[in-house]
Amino acid sequence: YRIELADDRVHTDGPLATPWRAMVTGDLATVTRSTFTDDLAPASKVADSSWIRPGTVLWTWLAGGRPAGQSLAAQKAYVDYAAERNWPYEAVDAGWYFKTDEWDTTDPNWQTNSWMPELVDYARAKGVGIIVWIHQRDLDTPEERAQWLPTLERWGVKGVKIDFMD
């Protein structure tokens, strides 16, 4: 194995400190049952974790990619799929708040013209919670977080999958 920095723009003339990395190898059972990385991590700083509700998530990017992220009909079908299997969550991946004709361009009116509240209501009626994908560039300032997070909470979104934090 060879280990390199993920970003070749990082340069140093001296010691470099990075977050620790770990690798578990072996057969499927060994890898999936390993507690190696958990054992290395410090204890949680969250004193009350009762609000955290882990569970199986249908990740729609793997199921439908870009087109699925911009389609309410596709997302409702994924909610149905999750509900039939008693999976508690469906993750709406990239595209849901983009302009439909400009991939990767945030719709400036996403808070008022999004179909997400309709999807959340549809999913709630079927016992499925919605998790939404958001690019980290849209949450990297206090002002952006003050815009996005209360809106998502008001809509009833259960979680946020923040992406591209290289």
Side-chain angles (χ1 to χ4, degrees), residues 79-134:
V79 165
D80 293 343
Y81 187 91
E84 290 166 6
R85 286 151 183 79
N86 294 314
W87 294 350
Y89 301 108
E90 187 242 340
V92 181
D93 212 284
W96 70 270
Y97 64 87
F98 294 157
K99 290 183 177 181
T100 55
D101 57 342
E102 297 177 44
W103 184 257
D104 243 6
T105 302
T106 301
D107 180 345
N109 301 311
W110 68 269
Q111 289 175 293
T112 56
N113 67 7
S114 177
W115 44 257
M116 189 58 67
E118 181 180 343
L119 179 66
V120 170
D121 290 344
Y122 180 84
R124 183 182 301 118
K126 296 192 171 252
V128 176
I130 297 296
I131 296 171
V132 296
W133 176 97
I134 297 181

Side-chain angles (χ1 to χ4, degrees), residues 4-90:
E4 310 179 334
L5 290 172
D7 188 337
D8 61 5
R9 295 174 294 178
V10 176
H11 300 281
T12 182
D13 292 328
L16 178 66
T18 64
W20 56 267
R21 303 287 187 248
M23 183 183 333
V24 178
T25 61
D27 62 18
L28 183 60
T30 300
V31 172
T32 59
R33 293 179 185 149
S34 173
T35 61
F36 177 62
T37 54
D38 297 329
D39 297 341
L40 290 174
S44 175
K45 294 179 182 176
V46 178
D48 176 14
S49 61
S50 64
W51 57 274
I52 300 171
R53 305 260 191 272
T56 303
V57 179
L58 172 62
W59 182 27
T60 61
W61 183 262
L62 292 178
R66 288 182 176 192
Q70 294 186 316
S71 169
L72 175 59
Q75 294 302 320
K76 284 183 174 181
Y78 294 136
V79 165
D80 293 343
Y81 187 91
E84 290 166 6
R85 286 151 183 79
N86 294 314
W87 294 350
Y89 301 108
E90 187 242 340

